[in-house]
Amino acid sequence: MHEGYCPLMFLALFRFLAWIPLPILHGIGNFAGRALYAWPGRYRNRLKANARQAGYTDPAFARQSAGQTGAMIFETPKVWLRNEECLQKVVSDDNQVVRDALDEGRGILYLTPHLGCFEITARYLIQHGPITVMYRPPRQAFLEPIMEQARNTSGLRAVPATMQGVREFVRALKRGEAVGMLPDQVPGGGDGVWAPFFGKPAYTMTLAGKLAVQTGVAVILTAGERLAAGQGWRIHYVRLPEPLPTDPVALAGAINGAMETLIRRFPQQYLWSYNRYKVPKEAPPRPTDAH
């Protein structure tokens, strides 16, 4: 197969999906997610185990969560390629949290967990000023051009999760701008600390905390709740209380605690199937589970 065929094929598929009305996309995705969950295997087992760890033991909850994961996957092409159309379907009841932080004249570090539609939040926040987001390059190299085209829009700049990207983050924050990153990605060994997440030690990145302490910016956790019947999304915020802890473990624990608060607002939409409790190579041994 010609090396340029896959990117063209996937871009064509993305463009096709982007034109489908959001209620239909969510319906297809919900069905596909539930169908995948019905098949026994590692995906199903991990989703159930992680949800159970947080106290969600009802089998119906797990099926709903799998359906929401499918909806997240199918809505992504529309969010990426039909940006203005999607932003018209976004609402928020607590934008004052952001306005208060902006009035302080500092930069803002937005932390967006794998919850709801995490692709819509940065696009919505552009209304308050430019934002730089960090991402991990896809494992499949042919997806890189698609992601680059979709994520680098007016006011939104994407940088890789490398030292170069970290330097770009620091520059943006020192300019008083905003940056955004996923706080619940498991870091590589040596780049994190063990901190409780729903009562179980999870290897947690220290980068977010280091950036906040180094630059003195406000830290706001945010997520886009997927509304019923394809109506759109509602943006939520949880600001991290200050002063921030200076101890890396305590700060990672505070961020995880704020993340739990946000997740419990619409828990079915968290990506419970993500391997949040894995032990990376070269990471220190996992401590005894917290209770």
Side-chain angles (χ1 to χ4, degrees):
M1 183 180 294
H2 191 275
E3 63 179 7
Y5 180 74
C6 279
L8 292 175
M9 181 179 67
F10 272 87
L11 185 56
L13 176 61
F14 265 53
R15 285 174 173 165
F16 170 74
L17 291 173
W19 281 97
I20 297 177
L22 189 62
I24 296 177
L25 283 175
H26 281 175
I28 296 172
N30 197 290
F31 175 81
R34 288 171 178 260
L36 179 61
Y37 176 80
W39 192 265
R42 184 170 57 181
Y43 168 79
R44 175 174 173 170
N45 293 340
R46 182 181 293 154
L47 189 157
K48 290 172 63 177
N50 288 347
R52 189 183 306 116
Q53 175 64 39
Y56 302 108
T57 58
D58 189 343
F61 177 92
R63 291 192 296 271
Q64 292 167 4
S65 178
Q68 289 293 332
T69 298
M72 178 268 293
I73 293 172
F74 275 79
E75 75 189 358
T76 299
K78 180 174 280 291
V79 175
W80 280 6
L81 302 180
R82 304 284 295 173
N83 188 50
E84 293 303 320
E85 176 185 336
C86 288
L87 287 175
Q88 293 176 9
K89 298 178 180 294
V90 180
V91 297
S92 180
D93 301 323
D94 50 1
N95 277 323
Q96 191 61 44
V97 174
V98 176
R99 287 193 287 266
D100 289 344
L102 290 170
D103 288 344
E104 296 168 10
R106 305 187 274 165
I108 300 177
L109 170 58
Y110 291 109
L111 301 179
T112 307
H114 291 89
L115 175 66
C117 181
F118 40 90
E119 291 287 351
I120 197 69
T121 52
R123 287 168 167 78
Y124 178 75
L125 291 167
I126 290 172
Q127 64 181 297
H128 300 297
I131 182 169
T132 303
V133 298
M134 186 173 289
Y135 75 99
R136 287 182 176 176
R139 294 179 181 177
Q140 295 79 17
F142 63 83
L143 290 175
E144 181 72 19
I146 301 173
M147 292 177 63
E148 184 174 349
Q149 175 182 341
R151 285 181 167 163
N152 285 290
T153 60
S154 178
L156 175 64
R157 183 183 180 209
V159 297
T162 61
M163 284 307 301
Q164 177 187 350
V166 172
R167 287 192 289 269
E168 293 293 337
F169 258 33
V170 173
R171 293 189 188 105
L173 290 172
K174 288 185 175 179
R175 290 194 299 267
E177 297 175 1
V179 302
M181 62 191 300
L182 294 165
D184 53 349
Q185 282 187 326
V186 179
D191 296 325
V193 294
W194 290 103
F197 184 62
F198 290 111
K200 181 176 181 177
Y203 202 59
T204 304
M205 69 164 63
T206 55
L207 175 58
K210 289 177 180 176
L211 285 170
V213 172
Q214 178 181 346
T215 59
V217 298
V219 182
I220 298 176
L221 285 89
T222 180
E225 177 187 5
R226 191 172 300 107
L227 302 178
Q231 297 176 69
W233 306 269
R234 174 176 287 108
I235 306 297
H236 294 255
Y237 306 103
V238 172
R239 182 166 177 179
L240 208 62
E242 297 180 42
L244 300 178
T246 55
D247 176 69
V249 176
L251 185 48
I255 291 173
N256 282 354
M259 207 179 335
E260 292 177 19
T261 298
L262 193 59
I263 291 168
R264 292 203 185 278
R265 293 186 182 181
F266 43 106
Q268 291 91 342
Q269 295 186 24
Y270 187 61
L271 193 64
W272 298 107
S273 57
Y274 178 60
N275 194 6
R276 183 65 187 89
Y277 297 107
K278 71 179 178 181
V279 181
K281 292 180 180 179
E282 301 180 4
R286 186 199 305 273
T288 304
D289 289 359
H291 296 287

